[in-house]
């Protein structure tokens, strides 16, 4: 077991009390009586070490005890009592050493057996621990852990808000579905009443037509039977029979003509119910009535913050663009700026008279591939179909800056009127 620096081994019972020395100096093998004691570091210090202890940034806040108040002896804990974390590679050994070069925690066996640490300046955990507790790494670790806890709390809060939103979304979807289902039911009821009325109307029309035919056939039959009865009644008197027979022949011809006319009447139409193909496709569809459509994807809290920042940046850009549009219009310049552009979505356009450009020598319809403005109100046109270049005078309503930039895909305000022109 390693001896505690700066003190002698305890004497037997009844012997003189332990003699204390400056512990930092004892590390170098010097035995100097202490002039102060640090209750934080649990160290006895000589006057020189005490001055250094007060001036160091890490220990300057420690309140040192002088000879009058410092303890006469200090029984330090054994190292075995201070260490309780075992080594991952040697389960029976405690971690007592630290390698700054490899940032590794080691036990005694690791220091001896591992060749990688033989050339390293291995330090004891007791020496490193005091600096570590007040160092930037430990402070950063505590800050990171605190931030981690706050982030997790925000995520939990976000989940609670999303759970409430899911419940509200569920109710909204159910209400929308039931509303649509009610509209479908009302439409089906309406179509059912219309179809039933149409079926009933065709039935009444057909029956009326058939009743009329039946009446006509009944009347012809009655007239025919009457002729038969008259002939039978006058069979005893040949003179009367002749007269009645001659008349019957004429009447029979009329009845036959009427029968043929009635029999030639159009038969009643036959109707069958024909299913609507669109409705049949709807019934066969797996998404009939509707389906759940995924809207905006659920994002994490960090992604939502990024979206919010992006939205704010876009709003700032739009405000800057509006401010630039409201700036006073500069005096018209004859210099063409091919990079300038304006928003024409709110502009009002009016059709102007066509510019005649077809000549007597053209054999095909004109197709302009490029346009250029020349001095003196002249326009130079390239006719692709007729493979010719034409020079025309520019109308007074034509915007010269617009024509100059046709090939560049940029439309700007007219320098005279300040309005877009075509």
């Amino acid at each position: 077991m390693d001896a505690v620096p700066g003190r002698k081994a305890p004497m037997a019972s009844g012997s003189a009390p332990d003699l204390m020395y400056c512990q930092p100096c004892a590390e170098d093998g010097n035995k100097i009586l202490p002039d102060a004691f640090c209750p934080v570091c649990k160290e006895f210090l000589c006057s020189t070490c005490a001055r250094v202890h007060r001036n160091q940034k890490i220990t300057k806040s420690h309140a040192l005890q002088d000879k009058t108040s410092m303890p006469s002896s200090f029984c330090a804990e054994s190292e075995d009592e201070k260490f309780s974390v075992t080594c991952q590679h040697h389960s029976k050994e405690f971690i007592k050493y630290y390698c700054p070069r490899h940032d590794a925690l080691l036990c005694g066996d690791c220091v001896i057996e591992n060749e990688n640490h033989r050339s390293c300046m291995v330090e004891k955990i007791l020496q490193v621990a005091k600096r570590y507790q007040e160092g930037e790494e430990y402070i950063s670790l505590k800050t990171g852990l605190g931030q981690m806890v706050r982030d997790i709390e925000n995520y939990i809060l976000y989940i609670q808000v999303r759970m409430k939103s899911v419940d509200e979304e569920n109710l909204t979807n159910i209400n929308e579905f039931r509303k649509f289902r009610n509209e479908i039911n009302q439409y089906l009821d309406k179509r059912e009443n219309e179809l039933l009325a149409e079926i009933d109307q065709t039935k009444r029309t057909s029956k009326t037509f058939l009743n009329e035919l039946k009446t006509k056939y009944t009347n012809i039959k009655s007239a025919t039977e009457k002729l038969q009865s008259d002939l039978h009644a006058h069979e005893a008197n040949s003179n009367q029979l002749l007269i009645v027979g001659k008349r019957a022949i004429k009447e029979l011809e009329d009845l036959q003509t009427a029968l043929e006319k009635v029999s030639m009447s159009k038969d009643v139409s036959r109707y069958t119910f024909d299913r609507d193909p669109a409705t049949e496709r709807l019934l066969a569809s797996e998404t009939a009535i509707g389906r759940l459509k995924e809207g905006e994807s659920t994002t994490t809290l960090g992604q939502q913050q990024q979206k919010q920042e992006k939205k704010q940046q876009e709003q700032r850009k739009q405000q800057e663009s509006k401010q630039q549009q409201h700036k006073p219009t500069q005096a018209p310049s004859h210099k063409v700026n091919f990079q300038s552009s304006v928003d024409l979505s709110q502009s009002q356009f009016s059709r102007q008279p066509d510019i005649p450009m077809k000549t007597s020598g053209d054999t095909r319809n004109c197709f302009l591939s490029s346009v250029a403005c020349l001095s003196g109100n002249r326009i130079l046109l390239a006719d692709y179909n007729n493979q010719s270049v034409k020079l025309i005078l520019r109308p007074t309503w034509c915007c010269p800056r617009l024509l100059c930039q046709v090939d560049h895909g940029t439309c700007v305000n007219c320098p005279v009127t300040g309005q877009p022109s075509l």
Side-chain angles (χ1 to χ4, degrees), residues 9 13 61 86 125 139-140 193 202 210 337-338 344 347 355 410:
S13 177
S61 60
T86 57
I125 292 292
I139 296 174
S140 176
N193 293 332
T202 57
L210 293 174
N337 181 12
F338 293 105
L344 301 180
S347 303
I355 304 175
T410 306

Side-chain angles (χ1 to χ4, degrees), residues 135-312:
E136 294 182 358
E137 181 179 340
Y138 179 66
I139 296 174
S140 176
L141 176 62
K142 289 198 300 182
T143 304
L145 291 174
Q147 183 62 42
M148 186 73 174
V149 172
R150 289 191 293 271
D151 291 342
I152 294 174
E153 290 176 350
N154 291 334
Y155 288 132
I156 294 174
L157 179 61
Y158 168 73
I159 291 174
Q160 293 174 349
V161 174
R162 283 295 301 153
M163 290 178 67
K164 183 179 178 181
S165 174
V166 167
D167 292 336
E168 295 175 352
E169 183 181 89
N170 180 62
L171 293 177
T172 302
N173 290 331
I174 291 175
N175 292 334
E176 287 296 325
F177 164 71
R178 289 177 175 171
K179 178 182 177 182
F180 187 47
R181 174 63 183 272
N182 186 41
E183 293 176 358
I184 293 175
N185 291 340
Q186 292 177 357
Y187 174 77
L188 292 177
D189 292 341
K190 177 184 175 183
R191 287 295 299 148
E192 179 182 4
N193 293 332
E194 292 174 352
L195 287 173
L196 290 176
E198 186 178 354
I199 293 172
D200 184 65
Q201 179 63 33
T202 57
K203 173 185 175 182
R204 287 187 279 107
T205 302
S206 298
K207 282 195 171 184
T208 301
F209 178 74
L210 293 174
N211 286 330
E212 291 176 355
L213 287 179
K214 182 179 180 181
T215 301
K216 291 179 180 179
Y217 283 124
T218 300
N219 294 335
I220 295 174
K221 179 183 178 183
S222 298
T224 304
E225 289 176 346
K226 184 177 180 302
L227 290 177
Q228 287 179 337
S229 176
D230 290 342
L231 288 176
H232 182 70
H234 294 86
E235 285 182 353
N237 189 340
S238 59
N239 295 330
Q240 292 293 330
L241 180 62
L242 175 63
I243 296 172
V244 172
K246 292 295 184 180
R247 291 178 177 176
I249 291 174
K250 186 177 180 180
E251 291 181 6
L252 180 60
E253 291 177 356
D254 294 338
L255 291 174
Q256 287 176 343
T257 302
L259 180 61
E260 290 178 0
K261 185 177 180 180
V262 173
S263 62
M264 293 297 293
S265 300
K266 185 179 179 181
D267 195 6
V268 292
S269 301
R270 299 182 64 86
Y271 297 94
T272 57
F273 175 73
D274 187 18
R275 293 191 176 190
D276 178 47
T279 306
E280 286 191 330
R281 289 194 298 270
L282 177 67
L283 294 176
S285 173
E286 295 181 356
T287 58
I289 299 181
R291 62 187 178 89
L292 284 179
K293 182 180 179 182
E294 184 178 0
E296 184 179 357
S297 300
T298 303
T299 57
T300 61
L301 185 61
Q303 290 174 336
Q304 283 190 341
Q305 292 177 350
Q306 293 178 358
K307 280 188 175 182
Q308 186 66 22
E309 292 176 357
K310 186 176 180 181
K311 184 178 181 181
Q312 292 177 355

